[in-house]
Amino acid sequence: AELAALAAASAGRLRVHHTFSRVTEPAAPPPAARSTGGTVFASTGAGRIDDALARAMLPSPSEDDVFILVCGTDGFVGDMAGPIERVYDAAGKKSKVQGPTLGVLGRLGFRPEQVFKL
């Protein structure tokens, strides 16, 4: 509900998309998508995000003020934008390094400053 409220208040600057690798009823989006009011992509309501699907739901990387936030499992983030590196400082504290934009977003031309990996 919070994402839907932020998107509604953003005058079109924030768009929320839900994608699911599996759903039990292809004609009906999962409750998480219905409750937040987001758009469910993929003709079956589910599936991996490939270049064509990403191109359909994302702005062009050449547009001004494009910022893509990628969150999910390490495998999903890696497939979409390239892996997040985990580095340790001298005290053993772990931190994340964004690294280059690879994967689907890299192939579509998004630059590292346009993508943030959680």
Side-chain angles (χ1 to χ4, degrees):
E2 291 178 47
L3 282 176
L6 289 170
S10 74
R13 291 182 45 87
L14 172 65
R15 293 181 284 177
V16 177
H17 302 291
H18 300 275
T19 61
F20 300 87
S21 55
R22 292 179 301 278
V23 294
T24 55
E25 299 175 39
R34 290 193 299 267
S35 67
T36 59
T39 303
V40 177
F41 278 85
S43 59
T44 62
R48 294 273 181 197
I49 300 173
D50 59 14
D51 294 15
L53 182 58
R55 193 176 294 110
M57 68 181 174
L58 297 174
S60 167
S62 64
E63 290 184 29
D64 291 336
D65 298 329
V66 171
F67 189 74
I68 308 294
L69 179 64
V70 181
C71 61
T73 64
D74 286 350
F76 174 78
V77 172
D79 289 348
M80 286 301 299
I84 295 175
E85 291 183 47
R86 288 170 175 79
V87 296
Y88 295 87
D89 65 16
K93 182 179 177 186
K94 179 172 65 172
S95 61
K96 295 179 180 180
V97 176
Q98 292 293 306
T101 300
L102 304 170
V104 171
L105 297 178
R107 288 191 300 275
L108 295 181
F110 287 95
R111 299 179 309 278
E113 64 270 16
Q114 294 176 303
V115 177
F116 190 81
K117 309 169 205 175
L118 289 177

